[in-house]
Amino acid sequence: YLGKNTINLLPDSAADSRPIILIGGMNGGGKTTIMDALRLALYGARAQCSTRGNLSYGDFLDQCVSRQTPLSEKTRVELAFEVAEEGELREIRIVRYWERNPKDGKDTLGILVNDWADKMLLNTWEEYIENLLPLGISNLFLFDGEQVKELAEQETPPVGVFDAIQSLLGLELAERLATDLDILVTRKRREIATGKQLDAIDEIESRLEQQQLELTTLASELERLDAKLVIAIEQERQAFDKFVLEGGNIAAQGKQLDIESKAIQAQIDRLRQDLAELAAGNLPLGLIAPLLTEVRAQGAIELRHQQGKAALELLVDRDRRLLEFLDRQQLLDNQIADVRAFLANENQNLVKEVELESSVYLGVDAEAINQLDRILTSELDRDLHQASNLQTQLTKLETELDFLDRQIAEAASPEEYTRLKAQENTARELVVQLKADKISSDRQYVELDRIVTKTKQELANYTEKNIQLKNDRHIIDSIAKVKATLQVFKEKLTLKKINKLENEVTECFRYLLHKSELVGRVTIDSTTFTLSLHDRDGKLLPKHRLSAGEKQLLAIALLWGLARVSGRQLPIAIDTPLGRLDSSHRTNLIERYFPAASEQVILLSTDTEVAESEVAKLREQGAITREYILEHDPNAQRTQVKAGYFW
C-alpha cells in the first residue's frame, strides 16, 4: 500500500443486524496484508504475521516497506478502536511507524486515548492488550482460509489453535505457574549452594536445557512425520484404487486367468464331444418320438397279419381232419352241419383279414418291432436325460468362460500394468519408510524423555543430598506439593472447560451443516484436543466420511465455539474463508455464520468466494454495513482502498 489508505471498520450502530464489513480483492491484492497490519498494530514484535516466517522483527519491518516509498518517508500503520471502561467509551489509537532498516530493529509505538497521548498506557501496552485480547487466543478472532484448511485437514489442531485452546482453558496459566515454580526452586538452590555445588547445578541445568530443546525438536519432527504419514497412506490408497480400477489387479492374475480359461474351454470341448456322440446314436429319434409310437403300433398290426397268413393253411388242413373225425363219430347230420358252418365262418373271417393287403405297408419283422420298443421305452428317455444334463453343464461353463474372457479383456496392458504397479510400490515403500522413521523417532523420543526425567531427578537428588537448610528445603518441598495440586487442578479444569467447549462446537457444527442429522455430538480429547464425531446413537463417526467442505465447516465450528467459550465480545476478521465449500455449505456459512459470528465481522474475500450470488444474499439479509474493493495498479505498483465491491 503506497500513500495513505483509510478503512472504516465500524459497523452501523443503528442496525445491530448489520455487523459485516466486506472487503474484496483479487489474489495478491493486499487482503492478507490488512490482516497482518491488524496483528502488527496490536502486538508489534510478538505479532504472528503470515509473511514473517523466520525473519527477525527488524528484517520483517524492512520487508513491509513499499518499494515505491521515498527514503525520507516512514511506513505507518494505525488502528483505532473503542473500548468500554468504567461505563464510558474510550477511543484508543495505536500508531506504529518505522523506516527502512529500522534502528535497533524496532518500530516506534504511540498510544493515544481520545486523541491524547497516554504514556502510562504506552509503557504497559503489552499487559493491557494481553488482558483485552491475549495473543494466545487472537487466532480465534483473526483467522484466514489457510488456517481453516490446515485445521480441517489435520487430525490434531495445529500449534496456533492448540495454544489458543490451552490459553482459553486456562491451561497456559497453569503451565506458566508451574514454570515459575521451577524457576523459584532453581533460584533457591542457587542461593544456598556452595560454589562447587553451584557449578554442578549449572552443569546439570545446562544439560537439562539442551535435552529439553532436543526433546521439543524431536516432538516437532514426530508431528511432521505424522502429517506426512497421513498424506502417504492416502496416496497409497489412491494408487491401489487406481491399480484395481484400471485393470492392474486383473493383469497380475492374467496367467492364472488364462489357465482357468483354457481348462474351462477343454471341459466345454469334452461336453460338446459327448453331445456329438449322443447325437450319433438314438438321440435324434427324440425329435420324431410320436411318429415312432405310430410305427410301433402299425408294426404290431402288420406282424399279426403275417402271423394270420402263415396260420391260415394250417387251420384249413386242421378243419378238414376235424370234419373227417366227426363223420366217423356218427354224429347227427345237423350237428356236423353246425360245426362245418362255424368253421367255415371262422375261416372266412381269417381269409378276409389276411387278404386286406392295404393295411400292410411297412413290412417290418418282429426283431425290428422289439428294437423299436426298447428305444421308446428306455433308451431314448435315457439319452434325452443325459443330453439335458450335458447341455446344462455346457451352458454353465460357457457363462464362466464369458466372465473370464471379459476379465482378461479388461486387464491392463503389460506396459500399463508395469506403470501402475510401480506407482503402487512407490507409494507403499514411502509409507513403509515413513512408518519406520516414525518408529525410530518414537524410540528416540522415549529414550530422550527418559534421559530428561533422569536428569531432572539428578538435579532434585543433588539438592536433596547437599542442601540442608530447613527453610529452603521447606520451600522446595512445598513447591513440589503445589505443583502436584496444580496438576490435579489443571486436569479438572480441563475436563470442565472441554465439556463446555464440546457443547458449543456441537451446536455450531450442527447449525452450519445443511444435514444436521449427520452428527449427534462432537467430543474433544482432553490431551491432544483431537475432535471426534458421534452420530445420534452415540456411535463413532469416522472423520473421513465427511466431505472436504464438511471438514472445513467443522474447523470453522471449532473456531466459533472457542470464540463463544472465551466470553469476549470482540471483532472477528476472516480472510478468504470459503475456499473449498460447495454451494450448500457456502449458503449456510453466508446465511448462518457471518451475520452471527460477532457484532463486528470483517470479511476479506476474492470475487470467487463471496461471489455475486453470495454478496446478494448478504445484502438481502441486510447484514453488510460497508463494502470496500482493493484495486491494485501494477504500473504504479500500489493498491488502493475504494468504496464498493466487485458487483
Side-chain angles (χ1 to χ4, degrees):
Y1 289 88
L2 185 64
K4 183 177 181 179
N5 288 274
T6 302
I7 307 177
N8 184 356
L9 302 176
L10 190 64
D12 188 351
S13 59
D16 295 337
S17 62
R18 300 174 61 191
I20 296 177
I21 311 298
L22 182 60
I23 303 175
M26 306 302 287
N27 289 330
K31 299 186 302 300
T32 303
T33 303
I34 292 178
M35 293 288 285
D36 285 346
L38 290 171
R39 295 187 178 99
L40 181 61
L42 291 169
Y43 302 107
R46 298 187 301 137
Q48 300 171 346
C49 296
S50 62
T51 58
R52 180 171 177 178
N54 295 323
L55 293 176
S56 67
Y57 187 55
D59 291 339
F60 172 68
L61 290 176
D62 185 62
Q63 176 183 279
C64 290
V65 178
S66 172
R67 297 175 184 175
Q68 308 303 314
T69 301
L71 294 176
S72 59
E73 290 187 8
K74 293 181 172 60
T75 297
R76 183 185 190 97
V77 58
E78 294 186 18
L79 176 64
F81 59 91
E82 291 179 333
V83 58
E85 293 180 351
E86 299 178 355
E88 295 182 358
L89 279 179
R90 293 204 306 169
E91 181 184 285
I92 298 177
R93 182 179 298 272
I94 312 168
V95 181
R96 292 185 187 271
Y97 59 91
W98 64 93
E99 57 189 8
R100 292 186 185 276
N101 300 315
K103 185 178 180 180
D104 300 327
K106 298 179 180 179
D107 56 22
T108 300
L109 174 64
I111 303 295
L112 291 83
V113 178
N114 295 331
D115 293 329
W116 290 89
D118 191 324
K119 291 185 178 180
M120 182 178 296
L121 186 56
L122 175 64
N123 294 331
T124 59
W125 176 250
E126 289 192 357
E127 291 80 6
Y128 180 85
I129 194 61
E130 273 299 304
N131 289 326
L132 185 64
L133 177 57
L135 178 63
I137 67 171
S138 62
N139 283 332
L140 306 181
F141 298 92
L142 307 173
F143 62 92
D144 55 33
E146 286 302 315
Q147 179 182 348
V148 173
K149 177 182 177 183
E150 183 182 12
L151 181 57
E153 292 177 345
Q154 295 185 7
E155 285 296 321
T156 56
V159 176
V161 177
F162 188 95
D163 293 341
I165 296 175
Q166 282 198 315
S167 176
L168 182 61
L169 299 181
L171 306 183
E172 182 179 311
L173 180 61
E175 294 288 348
R176 191 183 310 139
L177 181 54
T179 302
D180 292 343
L181 290 173
D182 287 336
I183 294 173
L184 179 58
V185 169
T186 301
R187 187 178 302 158
K188 288 300 179 183
R189 288 172 182 157
R190 291 178 180 275
E191 289 175 358
I192 61 180
T194 64
K196 184 177 180 180
Q197 292 170 332
L198 186 61
D199 291 341
I201 292 174
D202 285 342
E203 187 276 328
I204 296 173
E205 289 179 343
S206 176
R207 178 158 34 101
L208 179 60
E209 182 180 359
Q210 179 61 32
Q211 291 169 355
Q212 289 176 326
L213 178 61
E214 293 176 3
L215 192 66
T216 301
T217 303
L218 194 54
S220 299
E221 176 65 16
L222 280 171
E223 290 182 3
R224 185 183 65 82
L225 282 174
D226 282 336
K228 292 179 67 176
L229 184 59
V230 170
I231 296 173
I233 290 174
E234 176 62 18
Q235 290 175 343
E236 180 189 23
R237 184 191 65 77
Q238 292 177 356
F240 176 75
D241 290 346
K242 185 176 182 182
F243 179 77
V244 172
L245 185 63
E246 298 187 13
N249 196 36
I250 299 175
Q253 304 171 5
K255 187 175 181 181
Q256 181 61 32
L257 292 176
D258 190 56
I259 293 174
E260 292 179 11
S261 176
K262 290 180 179 178
I264 292 176
Q265 185 62 57
Q267 294 181 56
I268 290 174
D269 292 342
R270 285 196 298 273
L271 289 176
R272 288 175 175 168
Q273 180 63 34
D274 291 344
L275 283 172
E277 291 176 0
L278 283 175
N282 295 327
L283 186 62
L285 296 178
L287 299 173
I288 58 171
L291 293 177
L292 292 178
T293 301
E294 293 179 8
V295 168
R296 181 174 61 179
Q298 178 64 28
I301 293 172
E302 292 187 7
L303 187 60
R304 286 196 303 274
H305 180 274
Q306 292 174 5
Q307 292 172 347
K309 191 174 182 179
L312 180 59
E313 294 179 0
L314 294 175
L315 291 174
V316 170
D317 182 63
R318 185 204 62 184
D319 292 346
R320 180 184 56 78
R321 286 185 281 111
L322 176 61
L323 291 174
E324 290 176 354
F325 172 75
L326 292 176
D327 286 340
R328 289 194 299 271
Q329 297 300 320
Q330 297 180 358
L331 295 176
L332 297 176
D333 291 340
N334 60 336
Q335 291 177 328
I336 294 174
D338 290 339
V339 171
R340 190 182 300 278
F342 171 77
L343 292 175
N345 183 59
E346 288 293 318
N347 289 339
Q348 185 178 6
N349 290 336
L350 182 60
V351 169
K352 288 180 180 180
E353 184 177 344
V354 169
E355 289 178 352
L356 191 60
E357 294 294 338
S358 61
S359 62
V360 178
Y361 50 84
L362 292 179
V364 295
D365 55 18
E367 183 179 355
I369 293 298
N370 291 335
Q371 184 179 1
L372 180 59
D373 189 61
R374 285 197 308 275
I375 291 173
L376 289 175
T377 56
S378 61
E379 293 179 2
L380 185 58
D381 287 342
R382 180 198 63 201
D383 291 350
L384 286 172
H385 181 70
Q386 186 175 356
S388 176
N389 288 339
L390 291 175
Q391 186 63 39
T392 300
Q393 296 178 44
L394 182 62
T395 300
K396 181 179 178 182
L397 289 174
E398 287 176 341
T399 301
E400 293 180 11
L401 184 61
D402 288 342
F403 178 72
L404 283 176
D405 288 343
R406 285 197 300 273
Q407 282 190 300
I408 294 172
E410 292 172 359
S413 65
E415 297 80 8
E416 188 66 13
Y417 169 78
T418 302
R419 183 183 66 81
L420 292 171
K421 192 64 178 176
Q423 291 179 351
E424 185 189 12
N425 290 339
T426 300
R428 183 180 296 111
E429 289 169 0
L430 178 59
V431 170
V432 171
Q433 182 60 48
L434 287 173
K435 286 183 176 179
D437 292 346
K438 188 176 184 305
I439 291 173
S440 176
S441 297
D442 282 335
R443 290 174 179 170
Q444 293 179 34
Y445 184 88
V446 171
E447 177 62 21
L448 187 55
D449 186 60
R450 185 189 65 79
I451 293 173
V452 168
T453 302
K454 183 179 178 181
T455 303
K456 288 181 178 179
Q457 186 61 46
E458 181 183 351
L459 186 60
N461 291 340
Y462 191 91
T463 301
E464 292 175 0
K465 291 178 180 178
N466 296 281
I467 301 176
Q468 304 298 325
L469 297 179
K470 293 183 179 180
N471 290 338
D472 290 336
R473 288 203 59 176
H474 175 71
I475 292 175
I476 293 173
D477 292 340
S478 298
I479 287 176
K481 295 177 182 178
V482 170
K483 289 180 66 176
T485 304
L486 187 62
Q487 181 62 30
V488 175
F489 169 77
K490 175 183 173 182
E491 292 172 356
K492 292 186 177 180
L493 177 65
T494 299
L495 292 177
K496 181 179 179 181
K497 291 291 186 70
I498 283 290
N499 184 61
K500 184 177 181 181
L501 181 58
E502 286 174 347
N503 293 335
E504 291 291 347
V505 174
T506 299
E507 181 181 344
C508 292
F509 187 41
R510 295 185 63 193
Y511 183 68
L512 291 177
L513 278 178
H514 65 272
K515 45 181 180 179
S516 58
E517 74 281 357
L518 176 67
V519 176
R521 182 168 178 79
V522 179
T523 59
I524 302 174
D525 186 274
S526 60
T527 303
T528 63
F529 302 129
T530 301
L531 272 64
S532 299
L533 305 179
H534 302 267
D535 61 21
R536 291 185 173 274
D537 295 327
K539 295 180 181 179
L540 186 65
L541 184 66
K543 282 183 67 176
H544 67 75
R545 284 184 55 188
L546 298 181
S547 66
E550 289 169 341
K551 290 179 181 178
Q552 192 166 358
L553 286 185
L554 178 60
I556 292 174
L558 175 59
L559 294 175
W560 194 6
L562 285 166
R564 290 169 63 170
V565 169
S566 73
R568 299 172 185 264
Q569 297 297 323
L570 294 169
I572 287 182
I574 311 170
D575 184 5
T576 58
L578 299 176
R580 298 185 301 169
L581 296 179
D582 58 29
S583 59
S584 62
H585 292 143
R586 282 175 178 243
T587 299
N588 282 1
L589 214 59
I590 288 290
E591 295 180 353
R592 299 186 177 188
Y593 175 59
F594 293 153
S598 174
E599 295 178 357
Q600 182 180 14
V601 179
I602 303 166
L603 287 183
L604 299 105
S605 172
T606 64
D607 61 338
T608 59
E609 287 199 297
V610 180
E612 187 171 4
S613 60
E614 283 80 17
V615 77
K617 290 179 182 177
L618 288 174
R619 289 168 180 164
E620 183 178 338
Q621 288 179 272
I624 302 176
T625 292
R626 308 180 199 284
E627 297 178 11
Y628 296 96
I629 185 76
L630 306 179
E631 291 188 354
H632 181 69
D633 185 351
N635 295 324
Q637 297 186 18
R638 64 181 296 181
T639 295
Q640 287 185 301
V641 181
K642 296 184 178 180
Y645 195 64
F646 294 102
W647 301 278

